Amino acid sequence: VNTKGVSLTTSLDVGQKSDMRAYMSLVANVLGNSELYISWVDQVTLDEVTRPRHGSVHPWPLSLILNWQKKNAVHKRLSALGWTNKSVEEVYNEIDNCCRALSERLENSQYFFGARPTELDALVFGHIFSILTTPLPDNRAK
């Protein structure tokens, strides 16, 4: 949004902007990494959903090579962050804790900060939309 010269945070004060950045970091670190974990580390999801989806647009053997490269890149990232040591249960607990924190911040409001959406609202929407619309063998995140 900022690259288009539009800011969704002009009405926020410095403290609110700081809080928003903290929540955005939480969302990126928890929901982003959990999506990567579930897609590329959980073997059932990898075999049934991720490999067919990720490789389907490329011919064989390119699809196999690109899937292998992506899986290795994701494993390196998650390993550096300590996520490959987690179990699937721990990952779902992380998702639950993150969603609870976001829900507490949102309370009964339509948006996280004020009467207008911010970058945080857009980021959360993107992750929640992805979680709700992607058919997974294990739908606990829904």
Side-chain angles (χ1 to χ4, degrees):
V1 177
N2 283 336
T3 59
K4 299 290 183 188
V6 176
S7 176
L8 300 177
T9 59
T10 54
S11 63
L12 302 183
D13 63 34
V14 174
Q16 289 175 316
K17 287 180 182 179
S18 177
D19 287 348
M20 186 188 72
R21 282 192 296 275
Y23 278 103
M24 288 179 74
S25 179
L26 172 71
V27 169
N29 287 319
V30 175
L31 297 183
N33 289 333
S34 63
E35 287 173 28
L36 290 173
Y37 181 98
I38 292 167
S39 296
W40 293 98
V41 177
D42 178 51
Q43 196 62 48
V44 175
T45 305
L46 178 63
D47 293 339
E48 293 181 16
V49 179
T50 307
R51 279 190 179 132
R53 274 184 143 188
H54 187 261
S56 66
V57 296
H58 304 286
W60 184 88
L62 182 59
S63 61
L64 295 176
I65 295 166
L66 293 177
N67 277 338
W68 178 81
Q69 286 179 330
K70 179 68 173 185
K71 182 181 177 193
N72 283 345
V74 168
H75 271 261
K76 284 180 185 177
R77 174 192 163 102
L78 293 178
S79 181
L81 298 171
W83 277 72
T84 54
N85 299 330
K86 295 179 187 259
S87 68
V88 173
E89 286 299 322
E90 290 172 317
V91 171
Y92 280 108
N93 285 337
E94 293 272 357
I95 294 169
D96 186 55
N97 291 336
C98 179
C99 288
R100 286 181 194 276
L102 291 170
S103 179
E104 287 174 15
R105 174 66 183 106
L106 193 58
E107 293 180 333
N108 292 323
S109 301
Q110 188 173 2
Y111 303 110
F112 286 102
F113 294 95
R116 297 182 48 187
T118 63
E119 285 90 343
L120 175 61
D121 295 283
L123 182 65
V124 171
F125 173 79
H127 284 286
I128 298 299
F129 184 82
S130 176
I131 290 168
L132 293 177
T133 60
T134 303
L136 297 173
D138 185 343
N139 284 323
R140 280 184 277 179
K142 291 183 181 182

